[in-house]
Amino acid sequence: MEVKITPKGEGLTVLCLGAHADDIEIGCGGTLLQLKAKGYRLKFHWVVFSATGNRRAEACKAAEAITAGCEKEIVLKEFRDGFLPYRGAEVKDFFEQLKVVNPDLIFTHWSGDAHQDHRLVCELTWNTFRQHMILEYEIPKYDGDLGRPNVFFPIEKQCYEEKLRVLNDSFVSQSSKPWFETETFLGLMRLRGMESSSPTRYAEAFYSRKTVINLL
Ligand SMILES: [Zn+2]
């Protein structure tokens, strides 16, 4: 079954939420680039909760690259990495401010993610947005928390290669981490492409917790 995304009014407002500087790009960068490539007129509202030190400039560079040519608001907060749940009230206050965005589509972390910062962002996403389409993305990691996603976006070569380029070019500080490499990102997209019979062999995958089929 295919789901057609119908832009409301003039375009599609997309809210991208990531706990850390590279999360959005890893989790849904290919899908965002694919939406752009297919001609959707996107208006991005891009939020990174922990973008401090040199990771702030990296987050900015990557967000600008993914959203190039689109209307955008990029918000880089400076909550301490790893401590989001322990600053929960302040994070919740910020989510309250996001209600005015009223997006057509939201990308956020997966509720089953092993990282505490990721889980809090996911929890507050659902807590804040009650009538919105929310897709939860996945982040591969040492903890081995990958699950069984149920929404797949096939990605064309030009878009997944652009995603890899943005990750490698922007997040230089992460290059020393053994998991942060093209093979990791490409391998996961290849597996999700296999699971979705992607015509390009590659895909990104998401969790949709709730689907409303409105025929009224
Ligand atoms: Zn993260």
Side-chain angles (χ1 to χ4, degrees):
M1 181 179 182
E2 290 188 1
V3 177
K4 192 167 189 175
I5 299 171
T6 305
K8 276 193 304 192
E10 300 256 305
L12 195 66
T13 299
V14 182
L15 174 61
C16 303
L17 300 168
H20 311 112
D22 49 8
D23 288 334
I24 298 171
E25 293 82 356
I26 293 171
C28 61
T31 298
L32 298 176
L33 290 165
Q34 188 67 67
L35 284 168
K36 248 173 62 170
K38 284 295 168 188
Y40 286 99
R41 194 144 73 77
L42 305 176
K43 179 180 178 184
F44 284 105
H45 201 97
W46 189 285
V47 178
V48 177
F49 288 84
S50 178
T52 57
N54 57 1
R55 302 206 70 193
R56 185 176 182 81
E58 293 178 351
C60 190
K61 182 178 179 180
E64 289 285 357
I66 300 270
T67 64
C70 300
E71 196 179 334
K72 77 198 77 170
E73 183 165 350
I74 297 170
V75 181
L76 304 177
K77 304 296 286 182
E78 294 192 311
F79 292 106
R80 187 176 169 194
D81 189 340
F83 284 72
L84 281 195
Y86 316 109
R87 302 273 300 275
E90 292 163 70
V91 180
K92 168 78 172 150
D93 273 338
F94 177 70
F95 263 95
E96 289 297 309
Q97 296 171 28
L98 288 176
K99 281 183 174 173
V100 297
V101 176
N102 195 25
D104 300 295
L105 179 59
I106 301 173
F107 290 99
T108 191
H109 288 279
W110 177 41
S111 62
D113 196 296
H115 196 298
Q116 67 275 15
D117 290 350
H118 296 181
R119 288 197 305 275
L120 183 75
V121 170
C122 178
E123 182 183 333
L124 291 178
T125 303
W126 283 93
N127 187 236
T128 306
F129 297 98
R130 314 294 294 181
Q131 302 288 336
H132 298 76
M133 182 172 176
I134 299 174
L135 294 178
E136 301 176 1
Y137 59 76
E138 55 184 349
I139 302 286
K141 63 180 71 63
Y142 172 81
D143 310 70
D145 61 358
L146 292 176
R148 190 181 289 173
N150 56 5
V151 176
F152 297 82
F153 272 79
I155 311 287
E156 289 173 317
K157 190 168 190 277
Q158 68 188 66
C159 296
Y160 66 71
E161 286 187 344
E162 172 70 1
K163 166 183 172 171
L164 299 172
R165 190 188 64 73
V166 169
L167 284 167
N168 286 323
D169 288 357
S170 306
F171 300 106
V172 177
S173 71
Q174 303 302 293
S175 60
S176 59
K177 295 186 174 174
W179 64 273
F180 196 98
E181 58 182 25
T182 294
E183 265 185 288
T184 306
F185 306 129
L186 199 56
L188 182 56
M189 287 192 285
R190 177 69 188 100
L191 278 175
R192 297 319 186 193
M194 180 268 294
E195 291 173 345
S196 58
S197 294
S198 166
T200 67
R201 299 169 64 241
Y202 293 88
E204 283 179 341
F206 303 89
Y207 297 83
S208 173
R209 204 183 301 178
K210 182 185 284 190
T211 303
V212 177
I213 302 174
N214 188 347
L215 298 178
L216 303 180

